[in-house]
Amino acid sequence: MSIVDSTCKILVPIGAVGGGIAEEEFKIGLSRRPDAIACDAGSTDSGPSYLGTGQTKYAREAVKEDMRIMIVGGNELSIPVLIGSCGTCGSDMGVDQMKEITLEICKEERIKAKIACIYTEQAHATIKKKLHENKIRPLAPLGDLTESLIDECDHIVALAGAEPFIQAIDKGATIILCGRATDTAMMSALPLRWGLPPGPTWHAAKTVECGAQCTSIPAKGSVLITVDKDGFTVEPTLEGSKCTPYTVSAHMLYENANPYKLVEPSGTTDTSTAIYKQLNEVAVRVEGTSFYPAEKYTMKLEGSGAVGFQTITLVGIRDPEVCAHLNEWSTNLKNYINSQIKRLKYDTNKFSYDMKLYGYNAILGEKIPDDSEAPREVMVLFTVTGDTQEMASKISKLVQPYLLHFPYNFNEQLPSFAFPFSPSAIDKGAIYEFKLNHVVELDDPLELVRIEYVRAEFRESVR
Amino acid sequence: MTAIKNLSRYVRSKNAGPFWMTIDIFCDSTEDYSRIKKSKDSLPEKVAALYEVDKDSMMFFFADDLLTVKISIPKEKPQGHKYESDMHSGQQFVRILELQID
């Protein structure tokens, strides 16, 4: 059998490690004899704070339980377990935490493993060097990268493609823990290593990157992809769930600016020519996906940096008169706050503030017409952002009396609004913003990653 | 004239990375879908005004097989800017529901 006649089956247990793998459906998936288990553990979707601090979002216990299910399953079948974007943002810290969790599980379950840790965090100096070598270009809507923009980042990661995963498999790793990777890299690695064509491989990987999202019951169960030389098949393991051409092709729209062209480090997947067919009751067959190799291998960069410190106050208003005149009330309040800031000569370059009226217009921020029906109650979220926490806290203290008592009608008794907390203001600490949307051109796909191997071993008898 | 909400069975919005958000309008019938698709020349201007962005910066996709219209819009400020109100852009579809189509 030549290698291109083979098929490669990947079991994807859930959209993200820590989300709570459905163990029964996972076991049904295992009984189908997959060649690898692959799962994503993060993305930028949770916002810039995770990358800014290098921290992870999910509870350690939840991550550990999901990892245990996958590691035990992988060990049972002697197949690799591939995890991408460890620690939510893919920082080195995130990989180290996942390594620690993995070693604990291996010890507890008495599993021997060669663990590959793929680090993708970048030193500022490395990125600056690439900038000076003219190897970095922006992606819309951001402009050219500058040294100062690099300096503004607290953490920078580069998104790994399939290549470092393939390298780790080649070196005999059975558990692979990667820092930031593309959503699809860990599902693509094994089929590509087996010589299966990149079009179907990347398209299959993209289809299952959110787990069961491509099925008729998106919230539960594992999914299986089987890639071969002509295309791929996708199916759920949950009883009662199914894939249809609709659920599978519709998933390509999800969280994608362009649903037909998906850029990976090694090239672009083009799904516009793909044909989706119902294969049986639960499985969908996809053929005809194209892949165009990139002229230059690129890694996408993500960077996040602190932009200030925040203090927030939450206060509820049920007063019908205030609720009936919220536009006017909030404008008056802001004018009053501004006058106090001026009176006390605070330097307005060092802070700013924002007020959102939940239950009214907080989410879309629209101006509500004056003749709109009054809300029954609103929650005011007052946020001060300062250069320092002290600054944010100070301005927040200045406004507390007005947040408690500011009237709509100055001829009446002062109202007292509803504070749910004491102290009423909460120091939130540093806040972060995404700074980079750029790619770096590379001659070698492994140039910006570091792979370390560690063995999980135990002795049968310890003296 | 009728609103997008009357021509669709499901509309959703989500981030597409930190710098873009995307809106998917799923229609039930070819008729409803075609009606939106027919307005594709005037749509960019209307959506641009609604979301206060440059009309040439957006992307429009018409997925005939899915009876779905997809609109991708660069975010005015990146996800998680200091006064963000919708970290995942999950509620940004609401504005488009009332958009009038010929």
Side-chain angles (χ1 to χ4, degrees):
Chain A
M1 188 177 77
S2 82
I3 200 131
V4 289
D5 287 330
S6 62
T7 62
C8 188
K9 206 182 284 179
I10 312 286
L11 180 62
V12 180
I14 194 162
V17 179
I21 293 174
E23 200 167 359
E24 253 173 62
E25 285 75 37
F26 176 75
K27 283 185 173 156
I28 294 169
L30 273 190
S31 72
R32 303 286 306 277
R33 316 297 294 181
D35 300 296
I37 298 163
C39 196
D40 193 17
S43 73
T44 55
D45 204 37
S46 301
S49 179
Y50 300 97
L51 181 57
T53 58
Q55 300 286 339
T56 180
K57 180 181 177 184
Y58 292 130
R60 189 182 195 276
E61 291 70 22
V63 170
K64 188 172 172 183
E65 236 0 79
D66 281 356
M67 286 299 288
R68 182 194 306 279
I69 291 170
M70 288 188 283
I71 290 170
V72 170
N75 184 58
E76 232 172 81
L77 297 190
S78 300
I79 56 172
V81 176
L82 299 86
I83 310 295
S85 301
C86 289
T88 306
C89 61
S91 64
D92 288 357
M93 237 188 291
V95 178
D96 284 336
Q97 195 199 47
M98 202 63 114
K99 176 174 79 177
E100 189 188 286
I101 289 172
T102 300
L103 286 168
E104 275 175 30
I105 294 167
C106 289
K107 194 174 172 195
E108 286 160 13
E109 302 291 340
R110 304 185 76 72
I111 288 170
K112 284 184 185 173
K114 184 172 179 180
I115 303 164
C117 296
I118 304 171
Y119 295 96
T120 66
E121 198 165 331
Q122 305 301 318
H124 288 58
T126 311
I127 302 304
K128 282 183 188 172
K129 187 164 170 278
K130 291 289 176 196
L131 177 66
H132 294 141
E133 289 168 2
N134 222 5
K135 299 277 191 191
I136 295 180
R137 56 185 163 84
L139 299 172
L142 257 61
D144 285 338
L145 189 59
T146 58
E147 276 216 10
S148 63
L149 200 58
I150 297 170
D151 285 331
E152 283 172 27
C153 296
D154 288 315
H155 290 268
I156 300 172
V157 289
L159 276 69
E163 293 76 7
F165 287 93
I166 293 172
Q167 167 86 356
I169 298 171
D170 285 344
K171 299 275 183 193
T174 49
I175 301 173
I176 301 169
L177 309 173
C178 187
R180 190 72 172 111
T182 70
D183 294 345
T184 42
M186 68 242 78
M187 293 91 172
S188 301
L190 198 61
L192 291 176
R193 183 172 179 267
W194 285 11
L196 289 161
T201 298
W202 288 110
H203 192 176
K206 179 68 196 169
T207 302
V208 292
E209 48 106 12
C210 288
Q213 184 92 30
C214 62
T215 72
S216 65
I217 305 180
K220 205 173 167 224
S222 303
V223 270
L224 259 180
I225 44 172
T226 308
V227 185
D228 58 52
K229 68 175 172 36
D230 301 314
F232 71 95
T233 303
V234 54
E235 63 200 294
T237 64
L238 176 68
E239 174 125 352
S241 179
K242 60 179 182 176
C243 287
T244 68
Y246 190 89
T247 65
V248 173
S249 57
H251 179 68
M252 297 310 292
L253 304 174
Y254 190 66
E255 292 180 344
N256 261 345
N258 185 328
Y260 302 117
K261 288 209 164 74
L262 306 158
V263 181
E264 296 290 345
S266 55
T268 302
T269 314
D270 182 356
T271 69
S272 62
T273 50
I275 293 161
Y276 302 78
K277 271 188 199 148
Q278 194 78 47
L279 192 69
N280 56 39
E281 260 181 44
V282 297
V284 165
R285 174 82 186 153
V286 184
E287 291 183 6
T289 312
S290 313
F291 185 84
Y292 301 96
E295 275 178 35
K296 263 292 187 200
Y297 189 92
T298 57
M299 283 174 99
K300 195 174 168 190
L301 299 171
E302 288 171 358
S304 173
V307 291
F309 297 81
Q310 285 186 334
T311 299
I312 61 169
T313 308
L314 288 165
V315 53
I317 300 179
R318 188 76 188 239
D319 183 322
E321 200 178 43
V322 177
C323 284
H325 303 93
L326 280 166
N327 282 345
E328 208 179 329
W329 176 84
S330 64
T331 305
N332 288 345
L333 174 54
K334 282 182 200 164
N335 289 339
Y336 194 76
I337 289 168
N338 292 343
S339 72
Q340 292 305 306
I341 287 167
K342 204 168 169 187
R343 185 174 73 91
L344 296 171
K345 300 190 173 64
Y346 285 114
D347 183 352
T348 50
N349 292 317
K350 293 189 166 146
F351 70 93
S352 62
Y353 74 85
D354 178 59
M355 190 164 78
K356 290 190 171 72
L357 304 176
Y358 278 88
Y360 186 62
N361 67 348
I363 297 164
L364 299 182
E366 291 168 326
K367 183 95 176 157
I368 307 284
D370 283 333
D371 59 355
S372 300
E373 206 178 313
R376 281 189 354 136
E377 62 182 43
V378 295
M379 171 65 78
V380 180
L381 168 61
F382 195 91
T383 307
V384 184
T385 307
D387 285 358
T388 60
Q389 189 69 66
E390 190 196 357
M391 193 71 211
S393 185
K394 189 155 65 180
I395 298 302
S396 175
K397 284 188 167 134
L398 168 71
V399 303
Q400 294 305 310
Y402 319 120
L403 290 177
L404 175 61
H405 288 310
F406 197 77
Y408 167 65
N409 186 341
F410 286 88
N411 297 323
E412 288 182 4
Q413 292 274 325
L414 286 181
S416 286
F417 301 127
F419 282 103
F421 306 121
S422 171
S424 48
I426 305 158
D427 286 345
K428 221 168 84 46
I431 57 150
Y432 298 84
E433 281 183 7
F434 285 119
K435 304 279 187 185
L436 302 183
N437 199 39
H438 298 77
V439 292
V440 55
E441 287 181 356
L442 300 170
D443 296 320
D444 176 358
L446 299 180
E447 192 184 332
L448 290 186
V449 300
R450 303 174 318 281
I451 312 182
E452 289 172 13
Y453 298 91
V454 47
R455 280 189 184 277
E457 277 180 296
F458 55 89
R459 294 184 200 288
E460 288 302 332
S461 60
V462 181
R463 268 196 297 158
Chain B
M1 298 280 269
T2 189
I4 290 266
K5 68 178 179 191
N6 300 324
L7 298 173
S8 56
R9 66 172 171 84
Y10 179 52
V11 183
R12 70 181 178 194
S13 58
K14 196 88 191 352
N15 290 337
F19 300 93
W20 286 80
M21 72 151 170
T22 187
I23 300 168
D24 300 332
I25 302 164
F26 293 90
C27 300
D28 242 350
S29 70
T30 314
E31 197 190 345
D32 289 343
Y33 170 74
S34 305
R35 197 160 160 190
I36 302 178
K37 192 174 173 178
K38 251 184 239 156
S39 76
K40 70 178 179 197
D41 293 336
S42 60
L43 208 51
E45 206 154 318
K46 286 181 183 175
V47 178
L50 195 58
Y51 289 91
E52 296 174 20
V53 292
D54 173 9
K55 78 175 162 69
D56 297 323
S57 68
M58 296 182 288
M59 294 193 275
F60 288 77
F61 301 95
F62 295 89
D64 294 351
D65 294 347
L66 296 170
L67 304 179
T68 298
V69 180
K70 183 178 183 68
I71 305 169
S72 295
I73 303 173
K75 284 170 78 89
E76 188 197 351
K77 290 186 177 126
Q79 175 197 13
H81 68 86
K82 64 183 174 180
Y83 297 127
E84 175 73 84
S85 63
D86 191 359
M87 194 61 74
H88 302 81
S89 297
Q91 292 293 301
Q92 299 306 308
F93 71 94
V94 177
R95 280 179 215 223
I96 211 166
L97 295 176
E98 301 295 337
L99 188 80
Q100 296 292 314
I101 298 290
D102 288 332

